[in-house]
Amino acid sequence: MNRLPLQAVLFDMDGTLVDTERLWWEAVEQVAGRALSEADRPEVLGRPVEYTAAWLAAITGTPAADLAETLHREFADRVRTGIVPRPGALALLDALAREGVPTALVTASPRAVADTVLDALGADRFAVSVTADDTPHTKPAPDPYLAACRALGVDPAVCVAVEDTETGVASAEAAGCAVLAVPSLAPIEAAPGRTVLASLEGVSVDRLRSLLPYRLRVMTWNLWYGGTKVRDHRAKQLKVIAETDVDVVGLQETYGGAAEELAETLGWHHHSAGPNLGIISRLPIRAVLGDPDVGFYGAAGARIAVGDQEVEVWTAHFDAEHYGPYESEPLAHEEVRTGQMRDTLRRISDAAPVVLVGDFNSPSHLDRPDVAWPVTKAAEEAGLGDSFRQARPDAVRDPGHTWSPVHAHPEPQDRIDFVLHRGLRVLHSRTYVSGTPRTWPDVEDNDWPSDHAAVITTFSLGSGPGTV
């Protein structure tokens, strides 16, 4: 089972890498003129200087700007004379450097304080630093972590953020990062996507990698009469699956035995339904769904184990007659395909996550907005997102045509094969055709053994905020 690759580790500063929470607490006590209590923690820990200054101003009546200046000075004086790295922090930074994993410093402290700490730790340990001065909003907003990821050129879904406060954890999770929380003064509860440890001592790079969510890469592929229009079609199909490193393939036009034969050769799991549909999976299939005797058109599903979770994956093939763009009345026959889609949607569980792939034999309303294509609209109304169009929202720049790499003009070029989903995060989506296929009827020596392009979407099973 593949986890997403660790591309960067993003470290909070105060209380995480260096023991400055105590110094900040002492500085606030000095400025407040009293000892702080447990009730004061939410106003002090993980907050930018300006926030705490405004809080003190409301209590004392002193102008917030004056208090902020005094807090800056008191804290900076303590940092210069009393900074202490947290246990395990430097060892983990060194281990990440040895393995070539980039790191960033992401702090709610101002630039002047961060630079003082960077001088003490070694600024060359970090590829990027983001401070309270660098984004419009600081923690708990996601802005600082998103800014660090942009500067590193990485996706938050493949990063681990290391934090010590609830405020910082909220920021990192809102950005879509996996989180390792190492509380310094206030406790933090474990949660999905969040691991809580007492210390960074003994934390390895592999331990950080294990915190990332699982990857699920799904392909939809119409095999075109099982691939039999092309010589050595089975070997070519296997080559495509190996090249694309997919986890699950929803198949249409299996010609009876393709799903079983491909799965047996690959050592994968499979589910075959009727004469036309199949699912092959490198991941265990826990249950099969739908009517196993479905006809040539319809849908079949399987419940697939992804780590400690399960994902429903369905493959569908809808009626090919009277393709809308061929017709003078484009929607005249769409009620047949729409009925097949609605029947499929009734079979799909209400639970997430779900993936529905297939050859719908219909364009998308997202690509041709001049016609309200009802098949894809029905799926959208049922809460299923179009992964390709989520990843590539510009239909002009990225048309994503899957029909057809071998049927040339005057055939319309359209996107009729889809990977839809509910409850997953889309990391990437593309169409795929190997080689440069010759057009019909000169197809028997093509490397690509189909008349459709495949669609491949990579999902994260993490709880990130949206598509990137």
Side-chain angles (χ1 to χ4, degrees):
M1 181 62 239
N2 291 331
R3 288 189 184 270
L4 295 173
L6 179 63
Q7 292 189 359
V9 181
L10 317 173
F11 287 93
D12 172 58
M13 184 179 76
D14 301 321
T16 300
L17 287 177
V18 289
D19 191 11
T20 52
E21 295 287 10
R22 173 182 53 82
L23 303 180
W24 172 242
W25 190 265
E26 291 172 359
V28 176
E29 285 185 325
Q30 177 67 31
V31 175
R34 66 171 175 83
L36 298 176
S37 69
E38 184 70 26
D40 299 319
R41 290 184 187 276
E43 314 302 332
V44 176
L45 294 184
R47 295 294 190 176
V49 173
E50 289 71 20
Y51 180 97
T52 302
W55 169 67
L56 288 173
I59 296 171
T60 65
T62 304
D66 294 346
L67 288 169
E69 182 178 346
T70 305
L71 285 168
H72 277 304
R73 184 176 60 252
E74 290 287 341
F75 183 55
D77 286 347
R78 285 168 170 78
V79 167
R80 279 188 287 269
T81 59
I83 189 170
V84 177
R86 295 280 287 169
L90 296 185
L92 180 54
L93 285 168
D94 290 343
L96 289 163
R98 285 194 299 271
E99 297 204 23
V101 179
T103 58
L105 186 74
V106 184
T107 178
S109 293
R111 171 59 62 184
V113 173
D115 285 346
T116 301
V117 174
L118 284 168
D119 287 343
L121 290 176
D124 58 348
R125 293 180 182 275
F126 303 94
V128 169
S129 61
V130 177
T131 75
D133 301 332
D134 300 325
T135 57
H137 306 284
T138 190
K139 303 174 187 180
D143 302 41
Y145 281 102
L146 293 175
C149 290
R150 284 194 298 269
L152 291 168
V154 297
D155 185 328
V158 288
C159 297
V160 173
V162 186
E163 275 283 356
D164 75 307
T165 66
E166 289 186 349
T167 302
V169 166
S171 173
E173 290 180 342
C177 302
V179 171
L180 171 59
V182 186
S184 57
L185 293 178
I188 298 173
E189 295 296 322
R194 180 196 310 167
T195 300
V196 181
L197 297 177
S199 168
L200 289 178
E201 284 189 297
V203 174
S204 66
V205 179
D206 282 343
R207 182 74 172 95
L208 294 179
R209 290 191 178 102
S210 74
L211 305 184
L212 290 173
Y214 289 109
R215 180 202 84 173
L216 180 65
R217 183 169 292 159
V218 180
M219 173 192 281
T220 185
W221 197 9
N222 183 311
L223 295 182
W224 194 22
Y225 297 103
T228 55
K229 300 294 184 181
V230 176
R231 286 195 186 103
D232 300 322
H233 59 277
R234 194 70 78 229
K236 291 173 180 177
Q237 291 165 348
L238 292 165
K239 184 172 183 287
V240 167
I241 293 167
E243 288 173 344
T244 54
D245 190 29
V246 292
D247 300 305
V248 180
V249 187
L251 300 169
Q252 307 89 44
E253 292 197 30
T254 57
Y255 221 49
E260 182 176 3
E261 291 176 21
L262 288 167
E264 286 183 352
T265 304
L266 291 164
W268 284 18
H269 310 269
H270 83 281
H271 169 46
S272 297
N276 180 42
L277 295 169
I279 295 170
I280 61 174
S281 172
R282 74 164 83 234
L283 309 172
I285 292 177
R286 298 300 190 204
V288 297
L289 309 168
D291 180 2
D293 298 319
V294 62
F296 189 82
Y297 295 120
R303 191 173 297 120
I304 292 172
V306 186
D308 57 358
Q309 303 182 58
E310 291 187 344
V311 178
E312 276 193 25
V313 179
W314 289 79
T315 181
H317 192 199
F318 300 150
D319 192 277
E321 296 298 316
H322 303 289
Y323 178 59
Y326 293 161
E327 306 296 317
S328 58
E329 295 291 334
L331 298 182
H333 194 67
E334 291 305 299
E335 64 183 23
V336 174
R337 285 181 279 271
T338 305
Q340 292 167 338
M341 171 60 85
R342 294 195 188 284
D343 180 68
T344 299
L345 295 171
R346 281 192 291 270
R347 297 173 184 274
I348 293 174
S349 168
D350 291 334
V354 169
V355 181
L356 169 62
V357 311
D359 169 10
F360 297 170
N361 278 308
S362 171
S364 170
H365 68 287
L366 300 176
D367 301 345
R368 292 172 169 251
D370 54 317
V371 177
W373 298 103
V375 175
T376 54
K377 192 70 175 173
E380 181 180 77
E381 290 169 353
L384 294 173
D386 183 333
S387 66
F388 184 87
R389 202 47 79 211
Q390 287 175 333
R392 302 172 183 271
D394 189 333
V396 175
R397 186 181 65 189
D398 294 307
H401 295 153
T402 61
W403 182 263
S404 164
V406 301
H407 297 293
H409 185 78
E411 281 286 313
Q413 297 294 303
D414 269 319
R415 190 168 69 100
I416 67 172
D417 300 80
F418 300 88
V419 178
L420 310 182
H421 76 102
R422 182 174 64 232
L424 295 167
R425 186 172 185 224
V426 178
L427 298 181
H428 184 266
S429 188
R430 61 173 174 150
T431 58
Y432 185 82
V433 173
S434 59
T436 304
R438 288 174 289 278
T439 56
W440 179 263
D442 185 25
V443 299
E444 62 182 7
D445 290 319
N446 279 348
D447 290 332
W448 183 247
S450 176
D451 60 346
H452 288 245
V455 183
I456 302 169
T457 297
T458 303
F459 295 105
S460 162
L461 269 69
S463 55
T467 304
V468 294

